[in-house]
Amino acid sequence: MDRRRFLLTSLAGALAAPLGAEAQQAGKVYRIGILSGASPISVMLGPDPISRSVRALLQRLRELGYVYGQNLHTVPRSAEGRPDRLPALASELVGIPVDVIVASGPPTVQAAQQATRTIPIVFAGMPDPVGSGLVSSLGRPGGNLTGVSSADVPEIVGKRLELLMEAAPGISRVAYIATQQNWESPTGIHTQAAARALSVTLLHTEVTTPEQLPEAFAAIARQRPNALLVQPSAVNVVHLKLIAAFAAKQRLPAMYGFSEFVIEGGGLMAYGQSTADLWRRAAVYVDRILKGANPGDLPVEQATTFEFVINLKTAKALGLTIPPSLLLRADQVIE
């Protein structure tokens, strides 16, 4: 073959190759395990899933050169609000086996870590991964875990209470629906400290399993708080519409940690990190790991994109007039 023909053939081959193919094994179909504590499997299936988080993950992977059904396949597993199921589900993914596991939140990530010390795990939102013992440090996590940490630091949980008080002045007693693990964790301690700093009495109502919801609602009704703060736990996410309906029935202004509670559940307002952004950034970790990077060498990043969402329909039903200054700060206003 002469030099010109060789160059033309090489160029044609390069143009025909999919993006990122030079670092991927030819003909390899990567299996991405998705371990969820909340989302039903039905909303995580396929190349264009209903789940906002999984859709963001796959969209970013598509941009990085992965084609669902050709060189990429997802294997979703969900506890659907029952954290006791997570260890068995994580073990199931390990047994398949998958190439990488993507998980979000303390119980889910911890279950994945306990199931394997060899398969890479990428977390898309994990508060204080160093303090929880999941990684050695943010700069060099070590082991088989890395990802994007969530930001439930004092400033964030305090901001949720401040925004709630600005929307409904005069709040002094706030019911807090959260797991016992959250209440005793650094995030829970930050939340309690933020409430004290604002002269707010925080009334913890434990909801760790779905069966505790009716009892929790009854306890809150007896306590007669004047607002509600809801932890974005797996149980609460699964039952977000039920919790939002309870808040409406009790005429309680409520603040949530994820925008899904407002957009999908009809809650009043939410402030927290963007779940879509967390999962898009997790996709970059997945890509680097599939191309040969050691997860223990990839520094943990921290959440930087936050969302503030207000539902004016719910505000009107509660008899609240949201101040214009608050509306101007919102990233999304549902009318």
Side-chain angles (χ1 to χ4, degrees):
M1 181 183 294
D2 61 40
R3 183 172 182 273
R4 182 182 178 191
R5 182 178 299 177
F6 172 80
L7 290 173
L8 289 174
T9 303
S10 300
L11 177 61
L15 291 174
L19 183 64
E22 70 280 0
Q24 298 172 13
Q25 299 177 29
K28 169 75 174 179
V29 178
Y30 297 100
R31 287 177 291 195
I32 311 301
I34 300 174
L35 185 60
S36 171
S39 299
I41 288 181
S42 60
V43 305
M44 298 190 289
L45 294 172
D48 189 25
I50 297 171
S51 167
R52 185 178 178 222
S53 301
V54 180
R55 186 167 65 248
L57 176 81
L58 292 181
Q59 285 175 344
R60 185 68 181 112
L61 285 171
R62 190 178 305 124
E63 294 167 5
L64 292 168
Y66 299 87
V67 180
Y68 189 95
Q70 293 185 21
N71 61 350
L72 178 76
H73 183 67
T74 56
V75 186
R77 294 292 184 270
S78 176
E80 300 191 7
R82 304 197 66 94
D84 56 299
R85 296 177 180 173
L86 286 169
L89 295 170
S91 296
E92 191 176 326
L93 290 175
V94 172
I96 289 175
V98 295
D99 295 290
V100 181
I101 296 174
V102 183
S104 179
T108 310
V109 177
Q110 289 163 356
Q113 185 195 41
Q114 289 165 6
T116 178
R117 297 302 170 105
T118 55
I119 295 176
I121 300 167
V122 175
F123 47 83
M126 175 69 203
D128 194 15
V130 177
S132 61
L134 289 172
V135 300
S136 300
S137 69
L138 297 180
R140 195 173 182 82
N144 62 322
L145 286 89
T146 189
V148 188
S149 68
S150 53
D152 279 341
V153 295
E155 294 78 8
I156 302 303
V157 294
K159 188 70 171 179
R160 288 179 184 141
L161 285 170
E162 289 174 5
L163 293 169
L164 184 58
M165 295 175 72
E166 193 171 342
I171 288 174
S172 60
R173 291 166 55 82
V174 177
Y176 181 43
I177 300 180
T179 64
Q180 188 65 31
Q181 181 186 30
N182 171 271
W183 182 251
E184 297 171 354
S185 72
T187 298
I189 293 169
H190 292 332
T191 305
Q192 295 168 55
R196 287 194 298 270
L198 294 168
S199 300
V200 169
T201 300
L202 200 63
L203 308 168
H204 176 224
T205 305
E206 181 188 354
V207 173
T208 302
T209 65
E211 290 78 13
Q212 291 175 301
L213 277 167
E215 181 183 341
F217 292 160
I220 292 171
R222 289 193 302 269
Q223 292 169 338
R224 302 182 66 83
N226 41 32
L228 190 63
L229 182 65
V230 181
Q231 177 209 0
S233 66
V235 175
N236 292 342
V237 170
V238 169
H239 300 282
L240 59 87
K241 291 183 180 180
L242 185 64
I243 294 172
F246 168 75
K249 182 179 179 180
Q250 296 292 316
R251 300 188 64 77
L252 290 173
M255 168 62 80
Y256 305 89
F258 286 158
S259 60
E260 285 81 357
F261 283 89
V262 177
I263 298 170
E264 300 174 17
L268 175 63
M269 57 196 334
Y271 178 73
Q273 62 257 357
S274 165
T275 54
D277 179 67
L278 290 174
W279 285 70
R280 279 184 62 84
R281 291 168 67 182
V284 177
Y285 282 94
V286 170
D287 173 54
R288 293 183 66 182
I289 289 168
L290 294 181
K291 289 176 179 176
N294 183 342
D297 296 333
L298 300 177
V300 173
E301 297 180 359
Q302 295 179 295
T304 55
T305 303
F306 299 89
E307 297 176 315
F308 178 34
V309 183
I310 300 174
N311 192 323
L312 284 183
K313 293 180 180 179
T314 303
K316 183 178 180 180
L318 293 171
L320 290 177
T321 300
I322 305 297
S325 60
L326 203 58
L327 294 174
L328 288 173
R329 281 179 276 163
D331 297 287
Q332 182 177 353
V333 176
I334 299 173
E335 301 185 67

